Amino acid sequence: MRAPVCVTLFVWLLNDAVSQFTDKEMAAIRQRVKSMFYHAYNSYLDNAFPYDELRPLTCDGQDTWGSFSLTLIDALDTLLVLGNHTEFQRVASLLQDNVDFDIDVNASVFETNIRVVGGLLSAHLLAGRAGMDLEPGWPCSGPLLRMAEDAAKKLLPAFQTPTGMPYGTVNLLNGVSPTETPVTCTAGVGTFILEFATLSRLTGDETFENAARQALRSLWKTRSDIGLVGNHIDVLSKKWVAQDAGIGAGVDSYFEYLVKGAIMLQDEELLSMFLEYDRAIQNYTRFDDWYLWVQMHKGSVSMPIFQSLEAFWPGLQSLLGNLDSAIRTFQNYYSVWRQFGGLPEFYSIPQGSTVDKREGYPLRPELIESAMYLFRSTGDHTYLQLGLDALESIERIAKTPCGYATVKDLRDHQLDNRMESFFLAETIKYLYLLFDPNHFLHGGGKEGDGSWEEGGEAGQCILGAGGFIFNTEAHPLDPAALYCCSRHTQERQELRDILLSMSKKSPDQSKPPAKEKELHPTGQSDSIALKPGEKKTPPTLSCPVQPFSARLSILGQVFTDNS
């Protein structure tokens, strides 16, 4: 294990020579990223729409995850991130008119949630910034929100198991097939709380959040005596089918959602779960700032490899303030990138080479994602250099006349005939945000500069002031919107309860004393229960109505001067 340490030290020496990027240089790189996006996006529209994905070598399309124009849904919020309001509006209308989830298609529950439900929720929450016509009460209502809800309802039958852990596949028209396998990956059980809690709190329907929480709690109970979870589990019997424990493929976004769910929902239970896992991960899987795969019950190393999907981990660690560890691990991963011009799916740490049949790079975003978080945390331009390296590598290796192709083998740069939708949803978005430190998605800003906006009934909620949480497909969600609509739903429920309780009073209790009647001018009443024929309108309910100066929003938790 000494070789990885030497590689890390070598890269640290290289960092001393990293030049500082000027504002002008960063703006120029943003333009290059935009050009990359539009080459891929226009190629999809010209050659692949309405199929799910573009095939960039043959300039045609294919359905992959469900036959609902997946790339267009996944890329919608990226259009807004890049500032293209006109195309955002056009595509949002196009999707409303053309996408139907009542289709006889077997769909991945996990992928449909993170790409489709997440993409529609994000687009809904960003619709105001894009200049779309908004329904009264937005963000608690709207056509894109209803589309997200329709898609999520198609996934709910998968959660109807004795454990509450979902099947991996569901038929969007007929539900779960009687022959469907009960074995699914850990991430396929634990990657729903962001989207489902957002849906529940925007719509007032608790069904979605309850399903996600039940799945998380059931999965939590299956961890081993040393505190680890495996890779694949039987959702009916709770038995672990694959017992390799790590932070990579099949597990990764489970840990991600515990942290991000804790932040977005201000949820101590989720954070407590992650911190307990993290102690076991650090004790059993971490070696020289790499994270290996180990047997979940014994802690013995089963696979001394690095998977490209693990590259999200330094960014996640930075959200928790574990910067020293995050920086060292990032440097290990960056050394692999410099070796190949991309991250191979599997990399053997002892041998310093790719693993057979896992040499490809499907233009994944995870290392760029971590670079974005670490640059925000440290200001170190090393992370900008990684971004520039990534941009130039993709342009040089993966660009075709019809978009960008998956790299089949990083050793000789052979290409594969596929452009995953996450290239537009994640890779390009994180690249752009890395070089745009003042973007509204990073939070901050001043009142009136477009960082904050009004929402809710009568515009009495402040949205976007608490920063945004990215789901695992890089779709940004606004915690302040969840708070706004939750309060709105709570107030309506309180009014219903009051009216119901008053309607159940006996006639003697509801009849006021004669002397008390005389205290009120004719036609006025302090009661919110209207008398027959009375035209008094009850006060409208809304989000909290304190003036903006009385608010402070941190990570989506809104504090008032009464807090």
Side-chain angles (χ1 to χ4, degrees):
M1 298 302 295
R2 303 309 301 170
V5 177
C6 295
V7 170
T8 301
L9 292 175
F10 173 69
V11 175
W12 270 113
L13 291 174
L14 289 177
N15 290 346
D16 293 337
V18 171
S19 60
Q20 299 295 296
F21 288 77
T22 66
D23 290 345
K24 184 177 180 180
E25 289 170 334
M26 292 173 69
I29 294 172
R30 288 198 298 273
Q31 285 303 123
R32 293 178 63 184
V33 176
K34 279 187 176 183
S35 296
M36 174 182 282
F37 173 83
Y38 285 113
H39 177 63
Y41 178 76
N42 291 331
S43 294
Y44 168 77
L45 288 180
D46 294 342
N47 301 285
F49 177 77
Y51 292 103
D52 279 342
E53 292 179 352
L54 169 70
R55 298 204 304 170
L57 301 184
T58 52
C59 296
D60 56 13
Q62 63 179 344
D63 283 332
T64 51
W65 294 111
S67 188
F68 24 62
S69 303
L70 180 61
T71 293
L72 213 53
I73 296 176
D74 234 0
L76 181 53
D77 57 15
T78 308
L79 287 166
L80 190 279
V81 170
L82 301 183
N84 193 337
H85 296 186
T86 303
E87 182 66 1
F88 180 99
Q89 295 173 22
R90 187 189 74 83
V91 172
S93 298
L94 183 68
L95 292 173
Q96 293 171 47
D97 294 339
N98 291 280
V99 173
D100 181 10
F101 299 114
D102 258 339
I103 50 177
D104 188 5
V105 167
N106 294 323
S108 164
V109 180
F110 170 84
E111 298 289 354
T112 304
N113 177 58
I114 66 170
R115 302 194 196 206
V116 177
V117 178
L120 291 170
L121 284 172
S122 175
H124 163 72
L125 292 171
L126 296 173
R129 295 178 184 274
M132 293 191 68
D133 292 333
L134 303 176
E135 292 184 359
W138 175 89
C140 312
S141 65
L144 293 173
L145 176 60
R146 287 189 288 275
M147 285 184 68
E149 186 177 14
D150 289 344
K153 283 179 179 177
K154 295 294 185 180
L155 305 182
L156 287 178
F159 290 80
Q160 295 172 6
T161 65
T163 64
M165 294 189 287
Y167 286 96
T169 303
V170 67
N171 184 282
L172 297 182
L173 190 63
N174 302 312
V176 178
S177 168
T179 60
E180 176 63 28
T181 175
V183 177
T184 191
C185 66
T186 307
V189 174
T191 309
F192 294 91
I193 191 63
L194 291 185
E195 297 83 4
F196 277 28
T198 297
L199 262 178
S200 286
R201 300 195 183 197
L202 293 181
T203 65
D205 184 350
E206 297 178 353
T207 304
F208 304 103
E209 184 171 349
N210 289 342
R213 286 189 180 276
Q214 177 59 41
L216 284 174
R217 288 167 179 157
S218 292
L219 187 56
W220 171 249
K221 294 175 183 177
T222 66
R223 64 197 188 283
S224 69
D225 290 341
I226 61 174
L228 296 172
V229 288
N231 196 273
H232 279 74
I233 192 170
D234 186 313
V235 300
L236 301 181
S237 67
K238 293 187 178 182
K239 292 183 179 178
W240 286 101
V241 177
Q243 298 186 2
D244 296 301
I247 62 170
V251 186
D252 48 357
S253 55
Y254 170 42
F255 297 138
E256 177 186 2
Y257 272 42
L258 290 178
V259 174
K260 291 182 175 179
I263 296 171
M264 186 175 80
L265 305 174
Q266 296 292 283
D267 192 302
E268 293 184 5
E269 178 187 14
L270 300 181
L271 182 59
S272 175
M273 286 179 178
F274 176 80
L275 292 177
E276 187 162 333
Y277 277 131
D278 193 43
R279 283 190 286 271
I281 289 168
Q282 301 302 325
N283 285 338
Y284 293 101
T285 75
R286 181 179 173 185
F287 296 87
D288 286 340
D289 297 307
W290 297 90
Y291 291 85
L292 313 184
W293 290 84
V294 303
Q295 210 283 338
M296 66 177 287
H297 295 289
K298 302 176 182 178
S300 54
V301 175
S302 58
M303 292 187 293
I305 62 173
F306 157 62
Q307 297 179 351
S308 62
L309 284 169
E310 297 173 18
F312 83 101
W313 188 257
L316 192 71
Q317 290 284 297
S318 75
L319 290 178
L320 294 164
N322 301 330
L323 281 179
D324 289 344
S325 173
I327 290 169
R328 290 195 298 269
T329 298
F330 182 91
Q331 292 296 338
N332 282 345
Y333 298 167
Y334 190 10
S335 71
V336 178
W337 181 287
R338 293 175 66 91
Q339 184 177 348
F340 296 100
L343 289 185
E345 293 287 69
F346 285 18
Y347 175 82
S348 171
I349 298 170
Q351 297 176 6
S353 62
T354 60
V355 174
D356 188 41
K357 297 181 181 180
R358 294 292 187 272
E359 305 93 347
Y361 170 54
L363 312 184
R364 291 196 186 278
E366 283 76 17
L367 191 62
I368 301 166
E369 174 188 2
S370 283
M372 182 194 76
Y373 283 116
L374 286 170
F375 178 64
R376 295 289 299 167
S377 299
T378 67
D380 187 342
H381 284 223
T382 298
Y383 305 108
L384 298 181
Q385 185 61 53
L386 175 278
L388 182 58
D389 289 350
L391 175 64
E392 293 180 341
S393 291
I394 294 170
E395 285 283 357
R396 184 175 64 255
I397 298 172
K399 188 173 183 178
T400 75
C402 290
Y404 294 85
T406 289
V407 181
K408 186 176 182 179
D409 192 328
L410 277 169
R411 296 171 302 177
D412 57 15
H413 298 167
Q414 290 183 56
L415 299 180
D416 202 3
N417 195 19
R418 186 175 185 185
M419 186 179 79
E420 290 259 17
S421 69
F422 60 65
F423 177 63
L424 294 175
E426 298 185 78
T427 307
I428 288 179
K429 185 183 295 157
Y430 283 134
L431 258 180
Y432 188 84
L433 291 172
L434 172 61
F435 288 96
D436 191 0
N438 297 317
H439 199 280
F440 75 85
L441 284 177
H442 291 312
K446 301 176 181 178
E447 186 174 4
D449 71 354
S451 295
W452 302 326
E453 60 180 337
E454 295 179 346
E457 287 195 0
Q460 292 170 329
C461 286
I462 302 300
L463 306 179
F468 290 79
I469 301 295
F470 291 93
N471 86 336
T472 197
E473 191 77 2
H475 295 306
L477 304 172
D478 183 1
L482 276 61
Y483 175 85
C484 168
C485 297
S486 296
R487 285 293 304 155
H488 180 69
T489 302
Q490 181 181 340
E491 288 169 343
R492 285 194 178 278
Q493 184 60 51
E494 289 172 355
L495 177 58
R496 282 194 293 266
D497 292 344
I498 292 171
L499 291 173
L500 183 61
S501 66
M502 297 192 75
S503 69
K504 292 180 178 178
K505 285 185 178 180
S506 66
D508 290 337
Q509 288 176 311
S510 61
K511 184 178 180 180
K515 287 186 178 180
E516 188 174 332
K517 274 187 176 181
E518 297 171 1
L519 297 177
H520 300 286
T522 303
Q524 293 187 4
S525 171
D526 283 341
S527 171
I528 62 172
L530 302 180
K531 297 178 180 180
E534 187 176 1
K535 295 183 179 180
K536 176 184 174 183
T537 303
T540 57
L541 297 175
S542 66
C543 304
V545 296
Q546 289 80 11
F548 182 81
S549 59
R551 286 196 177 86
L552 172 66
S553 180
I554 301 176
L555 291 175
Q557 184 173 8
V558 180
F559 297 90
T560 70
D561 47 7
N562 295 323
S563 297

